[in-house]
Amino acid sequence: MAKITYIEFNGTEHVIDVKPGLSVMEGAVKNNVPGIDGDCGGACACATCHVYVDDAWRDKVGTAEELEKSMLEFAESVEENSRLSCQIVVSDALDGLVVRMPESQH
Amino acid sequence: MSEQSYSADARVVILGAGHAGGSAAAFLRQYGFAGPIVLIGDEPHAPYQRPPLSKAWLKGEADAASLMLKPAAFYTDQNVELRLSVAATAIDRAKKTVGLSDGNTIDYDILIIATGARARRLPIPGADLYGVLELRNADDAEKLKHAIGPGKRLAVVGGGYVGLEVAASGRALGAEAVVIEREARVLARVACPTLSNFFQDYHRAKGVEFELDAAVDAFVGDEGHVTGVRLADGRVIACDAAVVGVGAIPNDEIAGTAGLALDGGIVVDEAARTSDPAIFAVGDVTRRPLPLYARMHRLESVPNALEQAKQVASAITGRKAPAPEVPWFWSDQYDLKLQIAGIPFDADSIVVRGQPDSAKFAVFHLKGDRLLAVEAVNSPPEFMAGKMLIGNGKAVDAEKLANDTVSMKEVAA
Ligand SMILES: Cc1cc2nc3c(=O)[nH]c(=O)nc-3n(C[C@H](O)[C@H](O)[C@H](O)COP(=O)(O)OP(=O)(O)OC[C@H]3O[C@@H](n4cnc5c(N)ncnc54)[C@H](O)[C@@H]3O)c2cc1C
């Protein structure tokens, strides 16, 4: 299990044990963490699982691939550290990961 | 704010444990609703996602656990009472009770109807033969998966999205596939000719056969098992299994019998409320307002189920109503990612951006200089920017739009 801290836009923290192999989006949705919708179920088709990766974790998480980048280009409030959380696969190396959520996913 | 207020310990009963019903329960808890929630479903499964049933799951790329909307622990942790394998049979609005197929009756303060839709059946001879299948739920999908494999020949009756996805998944598993469509092109009711032609060509290149303009007269069989599909011109298309995907019918009978307003689905407002203020309805079973298009429509999509689940959870908890969303949809076939936003009601022009030959293009539907809909194949920027433009109603320069050397950022600026 990897401990992942999801921080809502209003500051509320959710610390969740996520099984390696699941995506960061699935970890949130399956545990009913508000603020990550994941409408398309992880097909990288909707950009409703947008998160900001904590600076300390950006290298370990890596960068977005082409498809994800082009989806993010048009998402709202995109920053340098924006990622679609359905494209981040949880592994033991991400134990301790911290992600923050934007104000809205739409 | 809603005109109606609901007490914090009201008992919410949800009929139909599918994508919309399960999501409504989840959003109610996310939004702080603390009263009892009972989720009643006639399937033996907790809520699951249907889209993979014709895609990743059918191809064996996703397991059953990944289909589940929420893990089993969710229902205990969040105090949502799940009653499965039980159907709701009648609603008594005066007494505020629902009769169940197990003989019990359950009281509600607030009722949410989320009974979805069922597959339309063809009223033709042979429709009850073994091997004539439909694809609406997990049990259907299980049967279909057994029926397709190397050397098997699959007839797909109806060239809609689900039918095409099944054909693609069937090919991936080594089966032969023939798509039989009544209209002159596949996706006739839901997509423009450019897109239909593109998908037909792509599927043909992958070995799928098409019978277009072909009415199905009967399924023929041998010893109770389907062996072919007979067309109106007398030809018989041989097959080992046939899957019928000719549309869905809303499961709105229980609401109609209770006197709720129906119009090809349960009529609801922007808060997903029916004609009875104590009863909401969400998902495929509803005919709902589309504020961006100023009309009522019945949508069959996951984003619609989620949007309405948020509407009802907001209305019940007194939270600000969510902003209206642009309807959208996706479909995966082979290595194609199709994303569609908006609906081309009353469109008067079409702009194609990119080359269909390259399997990377988008079709935009406009009315004057306003964008109504976009159909994007392997083109996420066109989809995302298009969705944004449909939502904000900005004027669009058709020439720039048609020129794929001008970035979508600039088109949308
Ligand atoms: C094969 C397939 C592929 C799809 N692909 C996509 C896609 O790629 N993208 C997309 O956006 N959408 C897709 N959809 C559509 C999407 O799955 C539906 O829009 C969504 O499931 C609607 O949710 P719902 O809760 O309204 O209905 P459902 O998910 O159908 O749930 C309704 C539930 O209510 C139950 N029920 C009915 N009557 C009663 C009763 N009287 N008592 C108790 N329970 C009852 C039903 O058995 C069912 O379990 C697909 C659908 C199918 C079938």
Side-chain angles (χ1 to χ4, degrees):
Chain A
M1 289 290 180
K3 232 179 231 337
I4 301 198
T5 303
Y6 299 89
I7 307 178
E8 287 184 63
F9 186 74
N10 68 13
T12 310
E13 286 191 15
H14 304 261
V15 182
I16 310 274
D17 285 321
V18 183
K19 209 167 91 191
L22 292 184
S23 69
V24 170
M25 178 278 285
E26 286 173 301
V29 169
K30 302 229 181 239
N31 290 287
N32 215 26
V33 173
I36 293 184
D37 290 345
D39 286 6
C40 74
C44 200
C46 69
T48 63
C49 63
H50 177 194
V51 296
Y52 305 113
V53 175
D54 190 81
D55 279 335
W57 288 90
R58 283 179 63 188
D59 281 348
K60 276 210 175 108
V61 167
T63 52
E65 288 184 19
E66 214 42 54
L67 171 65
E68 182 189 340
K69 265 192 207 145
S70 59
M71 291 294 293
L72 272 171
E73 205 184 337
F74 294 93
E76 270 167 45
S77 324
V78 173
E79 305 286 344
E80 285 263 290
N81 58 344
S82 287
R83 287 292 310 268
L84 294 181
S85 57
C86 70
Q87 301 300 307
I88 306 175
V89 180
V90 175
S91 65
D92 291 330
L94 294 187
D95 187 21
L97 174 66
V98 178
V99 295
R100 290 184 176 73
M101 296 173 216
E103 185 168 11
S104 136
Q105 294 286 359
H106 289 274
Chain B
M1 281 306 301
S2 63
E3 325 82 64
Q4 182 84 19
S5 61
Y6 300 94
S7 93
D9 58 358
R11 178 186 175 89
V12 174
V13 173
I14 304 175
L15 306 183
H19 215 123
S23 300
F27 285 123
L28 276 168
R29 288 292 184 240
Q30 280 189 21
Y31 297 174
F33 180 75
I37 301 177
V38 186
L39 184 54
I40 295 170
D42 61 1
E43 291 187 72
H45 316 284
Y48 57 89
Q49 312 179 56
R50 284 164 216 270
L53 295 181
S54 51
K55 311 179 184 78
W57 184 86
L58 193 57
K59 285 189 282 182
E61 289 166 5
D63 61 7
S66 71
L67 293 190
M68 301 318 288
L69 195 61
K70 303 285 175 193
F74 165 85
Y75 301 94
T76 39
D77 294 352
Q78 301 282 332
N79 197 16
V80 172
E81 186 187 337
L82 252 188
R83 292 206 201 166
L84 299 176
S85 301
V86 183
T89 52
I91 301 167
D92 185 331
R93 288 165 56 197
K95 290 201 191 115
K96 291 198 171 180
T97 60
V98 179
L100 304 176
S101 59
D102 61 4
N104 288 318
T105 304
I106 184 168
D107 298 330
Y108 67 83
D109 296 306
I110 301 170
L111 187 66
I112 303 175
I113 304 175
T115 46
R118 61 182 178 274
R120 183 186 298 281
R121 298 201 172 141
L122 290 173
I124 57 173
D128 53 356
L129 286 167
Y130 187 82
V132 176
L133 308 171
E134 58 193 32
L135 181 53
R136 179 69 208 181
N137 60 39
D139 296 348
D140 299 335
E142 198 72 56
K143 284 185 205 151
L144 179 59
K145 200 173 195 169
H146 282 291
I148 54 182
K152 289 275 166 60
R153 190 171 157 86
L154 180 69
V156 176
V157 179
Y161 288 117
V162 171
L164 291 181
E165 288 171 0
V166 168
S169 300
R171 292 298 296 148
L173 293 172
E176 285 174 38
V178 51
V179 175
I180 303 168
E181 166 60 50
R182 188 182 57 185
E183 306 292 327
R185 57 184 176 98
V186 298
L187 303 175
R189 280 175 308 130
V190 289
C192 69
T194 308
L195 203 69
S196 298
N197 290 335
F198 167 76
F199 274 103
Q200 280 164 207
D201 291 346
Y202 208 85
H203 276 268
R204 279 200 184 103
K206 299 282 183 186
V208 175
E209 295 160 47
F210 286 90
E211 291 289 345
L212 303 173
D213 274 323
V216 172
D217 264 6
F219 295 101
V220 294
D222 185 24
E223 293 182 0
H225 197 296
V226 71
T227 55
V229 180
R230 198 173 71 223
L231 306 182
D233 64 10
R235 281 182 302 143
V236 173
I237 309 295
C239 66
D240 301 303
V243 56
V244 180
V246 293
I249 302 172
N251 292 320
D252 60 5
E253 292 81 0
I254 193 174
T257 308
L260 297 176
L262 303 185
D263 178 16
I266 305 173
V267 175
V268 295
D269 66 11
E270 277 95 350
R273 202 180 274 109
T274 68
S275 52
D276 178 336
I279 306 182
F280 294 81
V282 290
D284 286 10
V285 74
T286 66
R287 176 163 299 262
R288 52 160 292 177
L290 289 181
L292 285 170
Y293 298 89
R295 71 175 73 202
M296 302 291 288
H297 198 66
R298 192 170 75 79
L299 295 168
E300 288 173 10
S301 72
V302 164
N304 170 63
L306 293 173
E307 183 187 16
Q308 288 186 302
K310 285 179 203 164
Q311 290 171 348
V312 59
S314 300
I316 292 173
T317 56
R319 191 181 160 113
K320 188 166 142 281
E325 286 172 26
V326 177
W328 73 275
F329 187 80
W330 77 95
S331 176
D332 295 323
Q333 296 163 41
Y334 312 106
D335 50 354
L336 302 175
K337 179 182 282 301
L338 171 68
Q339 295 163 292
I340 296 178
I343 308 178
F345 296 120
D346 307 328
D348 55 23
S349 69
I350 280 183
V351 170
V352 180
R353 178 181 164 95
Q355 294 302 322
D357 290 350
S358 65
K360 190 171 173 344
F361 68 103
V363 183
F364 294 89
H365 300 254
L366 296 101
K367 183 177 180 190
D369 57 6
R370 300 298 138 122
L371 188 60
L372 294 180
V374 54
E375 300 161 323
V377 175
N378 290 338
S379 302
E382 279 71 13
F383 167 74
M384 290 294 284
K387 187 162 174 265
M388 195 167 94
L389 286 166
I390 296 165
N392 66 24
K394 267 197 196 162
V396 178
D397 180 335
E399 252 168 56
K400 279 189 186 168
L401 191 60
N403 180 351
D404 64 0
T405 63
V406 179
S407 78
M408 282 311 291
K409 268 238 136 98
E410 193 181 327
V411 174

